């Protein structure tokens, strides 16, 4: 019975939906202006003038990149688009919609003169009548020659065209804003469009494509509509319980809604996981190089990035600060950090194998070591280096630092590499590596099963051309790519979750908090007390509003606050 009442309330006269006094919240439909369907949560495009007061203007801008090029694209959008064409090409009819036509563009001030001023000859013209266009409005595209003078001349002529409304240059992001206002894009797709323009690596491009598919916006809108219906059922129970007969008791109703909310909460956790992985792809995977002084961290970094980013010297402690370099490895944006060599008591007892006294660690080097530790804790992947060193009196041992091994074990992903493998023969190196695994790695929790890589930065730097993997650095890079994939991969049916942005993740967290508040209240019926259905409905309202902020739909009051920043990107 209550579903019938709710359906009548939402479809027949939405502005007559009863308001629950106990909610103590001002409702938008109580204002004096005529109510709109979006005020009641329907997924209709926002058209309020608060977002933009000049939607009737015709706007134009250079859509292609600035500077000299073969072709430049000038886009015009708005009700006066066709009038602009007629002013620039007065003697030729408009091309067939969505078909290209070659035209000569004339200066509107002299178009009717026998020797009118030609702005550009053989321009390619495309006309797209709304609403099925990129902005939802009539759109005109002028593909002109890309010389600076030609572009300036055409841009200067467009506002001179005679139209019924105003013609002006577009504000930053205004084409995208109009696409949003006219329902061509939701806010999640707008963010993905910004990611598409900012993408510099293959993985960043893939993330942007996933977000631009529209799947996320439809998912969040479906959740919001489900919460709206659930809230409507609860409020119908509150307001009509004395006048109508309901098939379900408050406890049964909350139990049914609780199952719905539980499913949404599970999905939100999956979306938050996708956000964490997508942020790694957008912002870059942070990699820290750790190890004792003179283990070859700077040499390894230079080999990976392909340039001399760090100073290389046989003198221990050359690197005192954190040196960072960004690069693209197999489509993954990475940020490498070469850190100061960490010297502790354990390092000195192992590294000074010749019996000499340990050097004094100065204040500057101590600060460098502190920063190295912090960088390791902030990184996604830690590469810890040990090295093969000669021992006084003959023989070789592996020098390492126990603290760096522990820092690596605490990271999400870690690699252990032994440098300077070229100083001994393979027959001598193998027992050294086995002893390192047993005594060093075996004593650190989380590294017992780690298989160290043997590399030689010197061999990699001096190797002749044509060698497939000089010094083993390429193998280490392959292992890095494998770690990148493990950090960022999702099952095939969840790839669209890589489009979740940090802003969406924050709003999902707030939505999750409100839904958990509802669950706490709904579970009160099993704890021996009567649930507060008014408070439960309020939690659903707040959760739905957070979802509305993601897509920009509904009547969430703070949506407008983020629109300007997002569109200008």
């Amino acid at each position: 019975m209550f579903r019938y009442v709710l359906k009548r309330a939402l479809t027949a006269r939405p502005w007559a939906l009863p308001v629950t006094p106990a909610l103590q919240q001002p409702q938008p439909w109580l204002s004096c202006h005529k109510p709109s369907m979006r005020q009641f949560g329907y997924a209709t495009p926002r058209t309020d003038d608060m977002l933009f007061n000049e939607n009737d203007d015709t706007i134009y801008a250079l859509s292609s990149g600035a500077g000299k090029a073969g072709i430049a694209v000038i886009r015009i959008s708005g009700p006066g688009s066709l009038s602009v064409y007629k002013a620039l090409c007065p003697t030729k009819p408009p091309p067939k919609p969505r078909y290209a036509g070659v035209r000569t563009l004339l200066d509107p001030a002299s178009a009717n003169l026998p020797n009118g001023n030609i702005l550009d000859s053989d321009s390619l013209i495309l006309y797209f009548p709304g609403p099925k266009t990129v902005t939802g409005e009539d759109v005109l595209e002028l593909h002109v020659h890309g010389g600076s003078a030609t572009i300036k001349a055409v841009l200067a002529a467009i506002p001179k065209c005679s139209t019924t409304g105003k013609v002006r240059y577009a504000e930053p992001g205004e084409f995208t804003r109009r696409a949003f206002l006219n329902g061509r894009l939701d806010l999640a797709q707008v963010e993905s469009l910004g990611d598409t323009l900012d993408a510099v690596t293959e993985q960043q491009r893939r993330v942007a494509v996933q977000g631009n598919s529209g799947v996320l916006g439809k998912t969040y809108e479906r959740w919001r509509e489900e919460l709206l219906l659930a809230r409507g059922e609860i409020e119908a129970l509150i307001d009509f319980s004395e006048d109508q007969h309901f098939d379900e008791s408050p406890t049964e109703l909350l139990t049914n809604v609780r199952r719905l909310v539980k499913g949404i909460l599970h999905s939100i956790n999956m979306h938050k996981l996708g956000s964490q992985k997508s942020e790694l792809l957008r912002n870059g995977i942070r990699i820290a190089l750790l190890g004792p002084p003179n283990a070859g961290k700077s040499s390894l970094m230079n080999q990976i990035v392909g340039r001399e980013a760090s100073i290389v010297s046989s003198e221990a402690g050359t690197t005192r600060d954190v040196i960072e370099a960004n690069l693209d490895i197999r489509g993954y944006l990475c940020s490498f950090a070469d850190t100061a060599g960490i010297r502790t008591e354990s390092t000195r007892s192992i590294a000074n194998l010749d019996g000499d006294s340990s050097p004094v660690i100065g204040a500057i080097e101590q600060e460098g070591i502190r920063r190295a530790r912090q960088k390791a804790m902030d990184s996604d992947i830690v590469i810890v280096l040990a090295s093969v060193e000669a021992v006084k009196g003959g023989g070789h041992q592996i020098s390492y630092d126990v603290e760096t091994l522990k820092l690596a074990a605490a990271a999400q992903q870690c690699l252990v590499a032994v440098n300077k493998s070229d100083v001994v023969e393979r027959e001598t190196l193998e027992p050294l590596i086995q002893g390192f695994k047993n005594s060093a790695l075996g004593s650190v929790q989380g590294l017992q099963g780690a298989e160290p890589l043997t590399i030689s930065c010197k061999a990699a730097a001096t190797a002749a051309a044509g060698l497939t993997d000089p010094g083993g650095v390429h193998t280490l890079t392959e292992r890095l790519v494998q770690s990148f994939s493990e950090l960022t991969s999702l099952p095939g049916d969840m790839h669209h979750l890589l489009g979740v942005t940090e802003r969406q993740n924050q709003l999902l967290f707030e939505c999750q908090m409100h839904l958990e508040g509802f669950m706490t209240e709904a579970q009160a019926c099993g704890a021996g007390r009567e649930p507060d259905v008014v408070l439960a409905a309020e939690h659903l309202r707040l959760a739905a509003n957070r979802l509305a902020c993601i897509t920009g739909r509904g009547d969430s009051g703070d949506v407008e606050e983020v629109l300007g920043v997002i569109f200008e990107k």
Side-chain angles (χ1 to χ4, degrees):
M1 180 64 184
F2 65 88
R3 285 191 173 88
Y4 171 76
V5 174
L6 176 66
K7 183 177 180 181
R8 290 290 303 274
L10 289 178
T11 59
R13 295 177 63 206
W15 50 88
L17 184 66
V19 179
T20 305
L23 291 180
Q24 299 297 320
Q25 293 290 334
Q27 300 299 330
W29 56 83
L30 293 181
S31 58
C32 59
H33 63 79
K34 182 180 178 180
S36 61
M37 294 301 288
R38 69 174 180 80
Q39 291 177 309
F40 300 92
Y42 289 88
T44 55
R46 296 180 65 89
T47 58
D48 40 341
D49 291 339
M50 290 186 300
L51 293 176
F52 194 65
N53 295 322
E54 299 178 328
N55 287 335
D56 293 334
D57 293 350
T58 298
I59 59 174
Y60 68 97
L62 178 66
S63 294
S64 55
K68 185 178 180 180
I71 298 293
V73 179
I74 298 173
R75 177 174 291 173
I76 305 162
S77 178
S81 297
L82 203 55
S83 298
V84 170
Y85 169 82
K86 293 177 180 178
L88 296 175
C89 307
T91 61
K92 293 284 187 177
K96 184 179 178 180
R98 293 175 173 82
Y99 281 81
V102 178
R103 299 289 188 271
T104 296
L105 303 183
L106 301 176
D107 188 338
S110 61
N112 297 322
L113 299 178
N115 296 318
N117 181 22
I118 297 177
L119 301 175
D120 189 40
S121 60
D122 297 330
S123 296
L124 197 67
I125 310 300
L126 288 164
Y127 174 63
F128 305 91
K132 294 184 177 180
T133 65
V134 64
T135 61
E137 305 172 328
D138 291 349
V139 173
L140 180 69
E141 285 190 357
L142 311 177
H143 297 235
V144 302
H145 292 91
S148 299
T150 301
I151 296 173
K152 290 179 181 178
V154 176
L155 290 176
I158 292 175
K160 300 176 184 177
C161 297
S162 176
T163 62
T164 55
K166 183 179 179 181
V167 179
R168 59 176 177 79
Y169 202 84
E171 296 179 358
E174 191 170 352
F175 286 97
T176 308
R177 181 192 293 268
R178 291 194 175 193
F180 169 75
L181 293 177
N182 292 317
R184 301 298 295 173
L185 297 173
D186 60 42
L187 208 53
Q189 289 175 300
V190 171
E191 288 182 288
S192 296
L193 177 59
D195 290 339
T196 300
L197 299 178
D198 293 336
V200 295
T201 68
E202 174 63 13
Q203 294 299 329
Q204 288 176 330
R205 183 195 64 80
R206 292 184 179 183
V207 167
V209 169
Q210 294 297 336
N212 200 36
S213 65
V215 175
L216 291 175
K218 293 176 182 177
T219 299
Y220 300 141
E221 190 63 25
R222 175 172 54 82
W223 293 352
R224 191 179 70 85
E225 290 175 353
E226 290 174 349
L227 293 178
L228 173 67
L229 179 60
R231 174 194 166 201
E233 291 180 348
I234 295 175
E235 293 196 7
L237 178 65
I238 297 171
D239 292 326
F240 301 124
S241 59
E242 297 180 357
D243 303 325
Q244 303 288 341
H245 172 70
F246 291 91
D247 301 329
E248 295 174 301
S249 66
T251 300
E252 292 174 331
L253 174 59
L254 288 181
T255 300
N256 292 335
V257 176
R258 189 171 61 189
R259 282 196 291 267
L260 167 68
V261 171
K262 186 177 180 180
I264 295 178
L265 282 172
H266 174 73
S267 298
I268 286 178
N269 286 329
M270 294 295 100
H271 281 239
K272 291 172 67 177
L273 175 63
S275 172
Q276 295 172 5
K277 294 180 179 294
S278 66
E279 283 303 303
L280 288 176
L281 297 175
R282 286 191 184 92
N283 300 329
I285 301 172
R286 299 164 297 179
I287 305 168
L289 300 175
L290 294 183
N294 211 27
K297 299 182 296 299
S298 298
S299 298
L300 176 60
M301 180 172 176
N302 292 343
Q303 287 298 317
I304 293 176
V305 304
R307 59 184 177 87
E308 293 186 2
S310 298
I311 299 175
V312 178
S313 172
S314 59
E315 179 184 347
T318 303
T319 304
R320 300 297 182 91
D321 202 351
V322 177
I323 300 174
E324 298 187 74
N326 297 329
L327 72 155
D328 180 347
I329 297 181
R330 306 288 178 82
Y332 294 92
L333 178 62
C334 308
S335 176
F336 277 87
D338 179 18
T339 63
I342 296 180
R343 290 197 276 186
T344 61
E345 292 298 327
S346 58
T347 308
R348 289 191 287 268
S349 62
I350 296 174
N352 296 326
L353 301 172
D354 55 4
D356 295 339
S357 59
S358 301
V360 177
I361 301 177
I364 295 179
E365 186 175 355
Q366 288 178 357
E367 175 61 19
I369 293 173
R370 185 195 66 80
R371 295 186 183 187
R373 294 190 183 105
Q374 186 62 48
K375 179 59 67 174
M377 290 187 286
D378 295 338
S379 296
D380 305 303
I381 300 177
V382 171
I383 302 177
V384 59
L385 258 65
S387 61
V388 179
E389 303 289 350
V391 181
K392 185 177 181 180
H396 294 80
Q397 291 191 25
I398 294 180
S399 170
Y400 65 93
D401 178 75
V402 176
E403 183 180 355
T404 59
L405 296 177
K406 293 180 179 179
L407 288 170
Q412 297 182 58
Q413 294 278 338
C414 70
L415 294 177
V416 181
V418 178
N419 191 25
K420 305 181 184 179
S421 60
D422 59 298
V423 302
V424 295
E425 298 296 332
R426 178 174 297 275
E427 295 77 11
T428 305
L429 180 62
E430 289 180 354
L432 289 177
I433 295 297
Q434 188 61 45
F436 174 65
K437 290 172 58 178
N438 296 336
S439 62
L441 302 185
S443 63
V444 178
Q445 184 68 29
L447 294 181
Q448 288 88 346
E451 187 68 31
L453 299 173
T454 56
I455 64 172
S456 172
C457 295
K458 180 180 178 181
T462 59
L467 295 180
T468 56
D469 188 11
V473 175
H474 291 173
T475 299
L476 186 145
T477 304
E478 291 294 333
R479 287 282 297 274
L480 273 178
V481 173
Q482 181 180 346
S483 297
F484 298 160
S485 178
E486 293 173 359
L487 283 173
T488 60
S489 63
L490 283 172
D493 59 345
M494 296 173 61
H495 279 177
H496 64 281
L497 299 186
L498 291 175
V500 181
T501 65
E502 179 59 29
R503 185 190 72 90
Q504 295 167 18
N505 182 52
Q506 179 61 36
L507 291 170
L508 286 175
F509 173 77
E510 295 174 10
C511 175
Q512 183 182 34
M513 293 298 100
H514 293 305
L515 292 180
E516 289 177 352
F518 167 84
M519 293 292 286
T520 300
E521 193 59 41
Q523 290 170 353
C525 55
R529 69 177 179 87
E530 189 70 18
D532 188 339
V533 291
V534 175
L535 183 58
E538 178 69 357
H539 280 304
L540 294 182
R541 183 186 73 83
L542 295 173
N545 277 352
R546 295 298 88 193
L547 294 174
C549 287
I550 296 179
T551 61
R553 306 303 183 197
D555 191 47
S556 179
D558 57 351
V559 169
E560 291 83 355
E561 297 178 5
V562 299
L563 289 182
V565 174
I566 293 176
F567 289 132
E568 288 178 8
K569 288 180 61 182

